[in-house]
Each structure stands twice: as C-alpha cells, then as structure tokens.
Amino acid sequence: MTALLLLPLLLPCALPALARRALARLAPAAALWAVTACAVVLAGCSLAALGAFVLIGSLKLPLFAAFGEFIHPLHTASAAIVVPAAATSVGVLAVCCWTLVRSVLRQGRAFRAAHTEAGRGPAAGDLCVVDSPRPDAYALPGRPHRIVVTTAMLRSLDGPEREVLFAHERAHNEGGHHYFLAAAELAAHCHPALRPVRTTIRLAAELAADEAAAAHVGDRRLTARAIARAALAGHASATPRPDFAAAATTGPVPQRVRALLEAPGRPRAGRLVAALLIACMALSGATTAAGLVDFHHRVEVAQGDEAP
C-alpha cells in the first residue's frame, strides 16, 4: 500500500521533460490540452496520496485509532515509517494550501485592477484601448471577454500588424486559454515538480494563438513580424495583470517567431508522446485508487467488518 502511494508522488517529476517533448511533437492546441490535463491529474493524485499518508499515520496513533473502533491491529508499514511520513505530508499540504491561497488572493487583486483599468478606456466591441505610455496588449477574460491594448502598443504597430495582434488575443479568449493557465497555476501549487510545466503550458497557449492569428490573416511572415515587434515594444514594460491573462508579448519570442517562419508540417511522433502522457495519467490514477482501496480494506479488516 505504501509503495503504491509513493508512485503518484514520483510521477510528476517526469512531466516537465515529457511536456517539452509534447510541445515539440504535437500541434500547439493538442499539446496545450494534453499537458494541462496530465498536470491536473498528476496534481490531484499527488494530493490524494498525501492525504492517504496523513490518514495512515494518524490511525497508527492511539488517540486517532480510538475513533476507528478497531478490534484488530491495523496492518500497515511500521509506525516508525508511517507516522513521520504523515507528519511530513501534513507539512507539505499546509505549505500547498498557504501558497495557493496567496496566489488566489494576488491573482484576484490583479484581475480586479485590470478590469478597473480596462473600464476607464474607450471600447469598441471586445476591444478596449487604455491610454498608457507602456506598450502592452493582453486577453482579459470575464463577462464579456476583453482585448486590452494600450495606446503605446497601437503606436508601435502598423495597420496589418495590429490586425495580427487583435487576432492573437481573440484566439486566447475564444480558446479559453485562461482556463489552461489557471489550471497550470493550480497544479504548480500541488507539487513542486509541476512548477516548470507552467512555462510549457503558457508557451503552448501562445503558439496556439500564433497559429490562429496566422490562419486569420493568411500570412505567417506578417504574423511573425507583428509578434516580434509587439514583444520588443512591450519588453519589460508590461502593465499589472493576472497571470492567467494571456498576452502576445510573453514567452520565448524567438522560438515563437521561428515556429511561424517554418512551414507548418505534420507533428513528428505525436502519437507516441500522447500515449506516454495518457499512460502517465492512467498509472498515477490507477496506483492512487489501488492504494486507497487497499487502505480502506485494511481499515475494515481492523474494524472486524471483513475477513483478512
């Protein structure tokens, strides 16, 4: 049982490298879905495993075992192993909860500030122009979704490049990329190995929006030029906004430009990478479920409800 519950805590360590490979070998939109789903599943399974360790260690202590009404000893690993593991799990879960609450509060403040700033400028449909000397543009989710662009960014681009920028940000809103970025942030607070995956998911969202913008304007070179100029203008001058508000100026821009300038080809070995991600999720979920079912069975045996 203990060995089964260790695997969900170890599998997330393999996801950062696997996520980068998925982004290289899958279409950006497919990689965004696959990597985000895998990160969420692995994060949930790791939390379940930590919670199970807390329960196992607690029931080894006489105070908590009395609540279980055991008539037989609870057969688990030695108390010298499970009790320290439970104490460590409690500490890890407390840190996860603390950092997650801090992140939610910070993101909430940034979201309200961004909406307040967007409401001050003139709007035309979903486009909101903010008078600011700092070049910036981003997709702001909400009801309704907004595309926020500063006047300095508009002055930095010509007409066709602005069309690319608007198409890019609309692709973020239409694709619901803020949900993927929020899920990546949530997963990162559940397991430290999942923190680098946030960068991969954000890059996948930007590449997917780049491809959508290129398809909209029908010119990949124009899209690459617009993205490069927008990123150069907005470098180190971004306005405060929540992390889940995707922006054309973020991510490794040279890699994005190179992807646009290359002819779109068939993803290489995409099926293998997708199969590995699915296997990773299935293995984590199966071992977590098996460990929890085994623990439940041992508790029922200790209570005399089932035969050993």
Side-chain angles (χ1 to χ4, degrees):
M1 175 179 60
T2 304
L4 284 175
L5 293 174
L6 282 175
L7 195 56
L9 299 177
L10 296 176
L11 279 174
C13 299
L15 186 57
L18 189 58
R20 291 191 296 269
R21 187 174 293 272
L23 186 57
R25 303 200 175 193
L26 290 172
L32 180 62
W33 275 96
V35 174
T36 305
C38 192
V40 170
V41 170
L42 294 186
C45 290
S46 66
L47 289 181
L50 288 173
F53 277 123
V54 172
L55 288 175
I56 294 169
S58 299
L59 291 176
K60 277 293 189 179
L61 301 175
L63 176 62
F64 293 97
F67 291 101
E69 300 179 349
F70 295 155
I71 62 176
H72 302 295
L74 178 63
H75 292 288
T76 64
S78 171
I81 297 176
V82 297
V83 172
T88 303
S89 298
V90 169
V92 171
L93 288 172
V95 171
C96 290
C97 290
W98 172 244
T99 58
L100 179 59
V101 169
R102 288 183 59 189
S103 177
V104 169
L105 294 176
R106 179 175 59 84
Q107 299 293 334
R109 288 193 298 267
F111 182 65
R112 290 191 296 270
H115 260 285
T116 300
E117 184 178 27
R120 294 172 182 166
D126 63 344
L127 178 62
C128 181
V129 179
V130 175
D131 186 13
S132 173
R134 295 176 293 184
D136 198 14
Y138 54 93
L140 186 63
R143 295 185 178 179
H145 294 321
R146 297 284 190 184
I147 297 172
V148 182
V149 184
T150 65
T151 52
M153 178 61 79
L154 292 177
R155 289 193 295 267
S156 301
L157 305 176
D158 59 27
E161 291 168 347
R162 292 176 188 173
E163 183 181 359
V164 170
L165 181 67
F166 299 156
H168 177 99
E169 303 303 347
R170 285 194 178 97
H172 281 312
N173 281 333
E174 292 171 358
H177 292 169
H178 49 283
Y179 293 117
F180 295 94
L181 299 180
E185 182 70 18
L186 176 64
H189 290 286
C190 296
H191 197 291
L194 297 176
R195 292 174 186 171
V197 180
R198 285 181 299 188
T199 303
T200 304
I201 292 174
R202 180 170 292 276
L203 177 56
E206 294 303 326
L207 289 173
D210 290 344
E211 292 295 330
H216 176 79
V217 301
D219 190 336
R220 299 182 68 85
R221 295 189 66 85
L222 169 62
T223 304
R225 186 175 76 244
I227 294 300
R229 291 190 63 183
L232 183 62
H235 180 65
S237 64
T239 55
R241 58 174 180 264
D243 292 340
F244 55 81
T249 57
T250 59
V253 176
Q255 182 177 346
R256 292 170 55 196
V257 170
R258 184 169 60 250
L260 284 167
L261 294 179
E262 293 175 350
R266 189 174 181 178
R268 302 166 297 168
R271 291 182 181 179
L272 176 59
V273 176
L276 288 174
L277 289 172
I278 293 173
C280 197
M281 288 188 286
L283 183 59
S284 182
T287 53
T288 302
L292 293 176
V293 168
D294 183 48
F295 171 62
H296 182 261
H297 173 70
R298 290 172 189 250
V299 169
E300 290 190 330
V301 170
Q303 291 174 335
D305 296 332
E306 287 189 11

